[in-house]
Each structure stands twice: as structure tokens, then as C-alpha cells.
Amino acid sequence: MENNIFLQHNVLYACGYQKVQSSEHYFPDHALGIMLSGESYYFSNEGAFVMKKGAICLMRRNQLFKKLKKADQNGQAPSLICLFIDQNTLHQYAVKNNIPRQSTYKDKALIDLTGNVFLKGFFDSLLPYLDNPKNLTAKIAELKTLEAIELLLQAGDLFQNFLFDFQEPHKIDLETFMNHNYKYNIPLLSFAKLTGRSLSTFKRDFTKIFDTTPEKWLQQKRLEQAHYLISKKRQRPSDVYLEVGFENLSHFSFAFKKQYGLTPTELTEQGFQQVVKNPGK
């Protein structure tokens, strides 16, 4: 279980109560965060990124990633503060400060800013609001967002391009994108946006390419990958269902049995028996 508390419309405090938590995310806005306790592991097409206590990270908007949060060695639950920098605020800032039109940003989507003393001080100034969230008014949150923008621009030249590239995703190859990203359990509207389409166009193009609906294809694709991981890679169903994009184990088990005639656990036991009978294979 995770307790998410929006202190203000774009400031999030998240604290988990389980030792290990897994989730998937798609953020339409840039996110600047600090790990207060525990550890977070972010997995994207760029690879893995680890945040330990005190780590500060900036994540670019329109990114898909899986997140695994763990308690630290002392058993402290994972917790963080995250500030979302929305496009409207950035547009207003760009006009007011004569920021020139930026080229397409092509650098890293996740940037490690740990060690930046000014950003550390910025997050320290937010800590009192954890116990007094009502004191974080909309006006203060607005000022804090502008402060974060200023601090990022001071951190290096690349952040102007990072923040003020307002180009939206172009219409891209749908088949390639879906085959690379089907494991992410996000709404169809998010898939549509990331491929540069409206939801209706996304569904229409999808049906033309795959000859089925997105919902049916996603479930079939995830079940096929799960079957492979359990039968060939000997992975446990409890580890597999989140990895391939299912929300809960019971739904995964039900859909798996409907597709293959046996539950994931039964497939695991079947594979174990084969190994016992044929230990050399």
C-alpha cells in the first residue's frame, strides 16, 4: 500500500508501508524528486536508474517507466517528495523571460542531480509542509515551482532545452512502439498520446495493423510473455504478473487459465516435475 498526499496541486509526498512495492507510471509533465528514505529503482527503455536516500532526480515528461520501491537496510519505508513542472507554467515562464524556441530534446530522460546543494536546500524548504500541508498554499506552490525552474536553469545549459522543448510526440510507427512497450500497464489514452494520435485514431490504426482491439491484443501479448517466462525461464508467477503488465495476481491467474487451461502455479509445478524427471535438460 502507498499513501500519496498531494500537498498542493503539483507537489506530491508519497510514503509506502510495504517492504517492496512495484508500480508503473506515465507522467505528462516533468517531475523533480528527492528520495527521503528507502530506495527506488526506475526501469525504462534507457535502462535502470537507482535512487537511494538523499538522491535527487529530474524525469522528463512523456516517459514510460516501471518503479520498484524498497525499504532501506534499517527497515525505513520508501518515501519521497516530487514536484511536477507543468507545461502551462513553463509556457508562461518562456514568454516572460524571452526563452527562444528550442530544438527537439534528445538527451537523457532521467538526470541525476544528487549533490546539487541548491536543489537539496529547495527540498529541505518543503519538509515543514509534510506536517502542515494546509500551509502550502497555491501561491506558495506556484512560487516554489518557479524557484525549481530557476535552480534547474542554473544547473547547466542542457536544462533549457530539457524544460522548454514543447514539441508533442509525432505520429510514430505504432506496431514497433506497442511491441516494445506492451508491458506498461497504462491507459489506452496514454498509449495514444505517446504515439502521436488521438484515442479514436489510435484504436482505428491499431485494428488495421493487428486485426484486433488494443485491449485483446495487450492481454494476449502479456499472457504469451508470462507463459514464456514461467515455462522457459522458470520465473515465479508472483514475480511475472507485474513484469508483464497485469495489475493483480488473481486477475492474471484467471486470464492465464482461460487462455492455457491451467493456472500459472500449475504450469510452474508442471515445469518442476519435468526438471525432476529430466535433470540434465
Side-chain angles (χ1 to χ4, degrees), residues 116 118 149-156 159:
N116 186 306
F118 299 103
I149 294 172
E150 291 285 349
L151 292 175
L152 288 171
L153 290 175
Q154 290 179 13
F159 292 100

Side-chain angles (χ1 to χ4, degrees), residues 150-169:
E150 291 285 349
L151 292 175
L152 288 171
L153 290 175
Q154 290 179 13
D157 293 337
L158 73 87
F159 292 100
Q160 179 168 292
N161 186 207
F162 183 105
L163 294 171
F164 299 103
D165 168 19
F166 296 121
Q167 299 181 64
E168 294 297 330

Side-chain angles (χ1 to χ4, degrees), residues 84-150:
F84 295 99
I85 307 175
D86 64 277
Q87 293 295 283
N88 184 51
T89 298
L90 288 168
H91 274 288
Q92 293 178 7
Y93 184 98
V95 172
K96 185 175 180 179
N97 294 276
N98 298 314
I99 302 294
R101 181 175 180 178
Q102 301 294 302
S103 59
T104 302
Y105 179 81
K106 297 180 179 179
D107 215 316
K108 292 181 179 180
L110 278 79
I111 299 178
D112 187 358
L113 289 164
T114 307
N116 186 306
V117 295
F118 299 103
L119 287 172
K120 175 62 167 60
F122 168 80
F123 281 110
D124 285 344
S125 72
L126 290 175
L127 292 179
Y129 296 106
L130 300 186
D131 295 322
N132 303 279
K134 292 182 179 179
N135 289 64
L136 185 61
T137 64
K139 184 61 178 179
I140 292 177
E142 179 184 347
L143 292 172
K144 284 295 181 184
T145 304
L146 294 175
E147 180 184 355
I149 294 172
E150 291 285 349

Side-chain angles (χ1 to χ4, degrees), residues 173-188:
D173 183 271
L174 185 59
E175 183 175 10
T176 299
F177 180 86
M178 294 305 299
N179 278 310
H180 283 164
N181 296 287
Y182 68 88
K183 295 180 183 179
Y184 291 99
N185 188 12
I186 61 172
L188 291 184

